[in-house]
């Protein structure tokens, strides 16, 4: 069964450093998402991406964040200058989207620790 | 703005007992409601969506628009049901999911 794959599973970075989280969505899916979950809190929407552009973003997704689909298979989330409060589990998701919005398939997550 | 509320962070029941995980939502339009489950060390996966009105692993959930609720129920809980359960709302215009804070269900032997 096709899966959304995320790498790395755990990333430790120093405050102020740039990080790139990588995701490979399911190949025929059209909608891509990043969510995050700070320890002990709810899963929060960050950004959605469709047709090679951001379709929606939350207040969390400020100028420090960017997303890219550089090669038609990877979908990346970049944080330019990490802060301690960026420490969280980051989930990528994709949706097939043909004929309407359907089930979101999630990756296993990347745990980002900013020290 | 849409919101999903799961009032119980933790819920414990004994094996064979009925279980109900509560979910309330606020949204002015016609929402789509989902239950996602996350077993220990596994990814979030879809359990149910209200549109399909099906029973998965013995779980059912009915959308009650009058009470704006989408509670998840199972008549006889099993130990393998122990997991984190998230209620989520999809609103057509937003094209993204709004999650509740989750309920950790523990089924005791």
């Amino acid at each position: 069964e096709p899966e959304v794959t995320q790498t790395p599973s755990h990333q430790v970075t120093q405050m102020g450093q740039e990080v790139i989280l990588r995701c490979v969505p399911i190949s025929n899916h059209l909608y891509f998402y990043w969510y995050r979950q700070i320890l002990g809190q709810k899963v929060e929407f960050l950004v959605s991406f469709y047709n090679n552009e951001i379709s929606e973003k939350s207040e969390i997704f400020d100028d420090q964040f960017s997303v890219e689909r550089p090669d038609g298979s990877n979908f990346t989330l970049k944080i330019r200058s990490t802060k301690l409060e960026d420490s969280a589990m980051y989930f990528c998701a994709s949706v097939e989207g043909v004929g309407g919005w359907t089930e979101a398939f999630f990756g296993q997550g990347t745990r980002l620790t900013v020290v | 703005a849409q919101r999903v509320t799961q009032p119980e962070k933790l819920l414990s029941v004994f094996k064979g007992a009925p279980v109900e995980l509560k979910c309330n939502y606020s949204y002015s339009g016609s929402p789509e409601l989902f239950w996602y489950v996350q077993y220990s060390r596994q990814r979030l996966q879809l359990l149910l969506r209200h549109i399909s009105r099906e029973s998965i692993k013995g779980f059912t959930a009915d959308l009650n628009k009058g009470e704006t609720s989408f509670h998840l129920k199972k008549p006889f809980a099993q130990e393998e049901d122990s997991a984190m359960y998230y209620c989520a709302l999809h609103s057509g215009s937003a094209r993204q999911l709004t999650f509740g804070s989750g309920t950790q269900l523990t089924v005791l032997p």
Side-chain angles (χ1 to χ4, degrees), chain B:
Chain B
Q2 56 243 32
R3 184 183 301 165
V4 178
T5 304
Q6 293 179 251
E8 304 136 329
K9 274 186 108 72
L10 303 170
L11 183 63
S12 295
V13 300
F14 285 102
K15 178 182 166 182
V19 63
E20 182 179 53
L21 290 85
K22 293 191 177 2
C23 172
N24 288 91
Y25 67 91
S26 64
Y27 177 62
S28 55
S30 291
E32 279 188 75
L33 275 297
F34 301 82
W35 277 98
Y36 276 81
V37 60
Q38 189 174 30
Y39 300 102
S40 179
R41 297 196 186 90
Q42 294 188 29
R43 66 190 66 207
L44 276 163
Q45 53 189 281
L46 179 68
L47 180 63
L48 297 173
R49 53 188 303 186
H50 89 270
I51 281 178
S52 52
R53 302 180 69 84
E54 57 195 342
S55 172
I56 303 289
K57 300 185 180 183
F59 284 97
T60 58
D62 290 316
L63 179 62
N64 185 324
K65 290 188 178 179
E67 295 182 0
T68 59
S69 68
F70 188 57
H71 303 326
L72 183 68
K73 299 176 187 178
K74 185 168 181 176
F76 307 104
Q78 303 299 315
E79 287 180 72
E80 55 266 29
D81 296 329
S82 295
M84 192 73 167
Y85 290 80
Y86 294 96
C87 183
L89 179 153
H90 171 246
S91 56
S93 60
R95 291 193 175 274
Q96 41 101 342
L97 286 170
T98 299
F99 283 88
S101 50
T103 298
Q104 177 68 49
L105 173 66
T106 303
V107 181
L108 303 165

Side-chain angles (χ1 to χ4, degrees), chain A residues 65-83:
Chain A
F65 291 88
S66 62
V67 288
E68 220 178 22
R69 189 158 159 79
D71 56 13
S73 62
N74 289 285
F75 178 52
T76 61
L77 174 71
K78 184 195 290 187
I79 310 175
R80 274 188 201 76
S81 177
T82 49
K83 307 191 231 351

Side-chain angles (χ1 to χ4, degrees), chain A residues 35-37 41-45 91 106, chain B residues 44 86 99-100:
Chain A
Y35 289 83
R36 80 168 185 194
Q37 185 176 31
Q41 298 185 26
K42 65 170 70 178
V43 177
E44 299 174 290
F45 167 74
F91 294 103
F106 284 83
Chain B
L44 276 163
Y86 294 96
F99 283 88

Side-chain angles (χ1 to χ4, degrees), chain A residues 40-89:
Chain A
Q41 298 185 26
K42 65 170 70 178
V43 177
E44 299 174 290
F45 167 74
L46 291 179
V47 66
S48 59
F49 194 86
Y50 170 72
N51 202 24
N52 284 318
E53 60 183 19
I54 290 173
S55 52
E56 193 168 0
K57 59 185 180 179
S58 71
E59 290 174 357
I60 303 166
F61 194 89
D62 62 22
D63 292 343
Q64 293 299 311
F65 291 88
S66 62
V67 288
E68 220 178 22
R69 189 158 159 79
D71 56 13
S73 62
N74 289 285
F75 178 52
T76 61
L77 174 71
K78 184 195 290 187
I79 310 175
R80 274 188 201 76
S81 177
T82 49
K83 307 191 231 351
L84 293 175
E85 54 264 37
D86 293 327
S87 294
M89 191 73 139

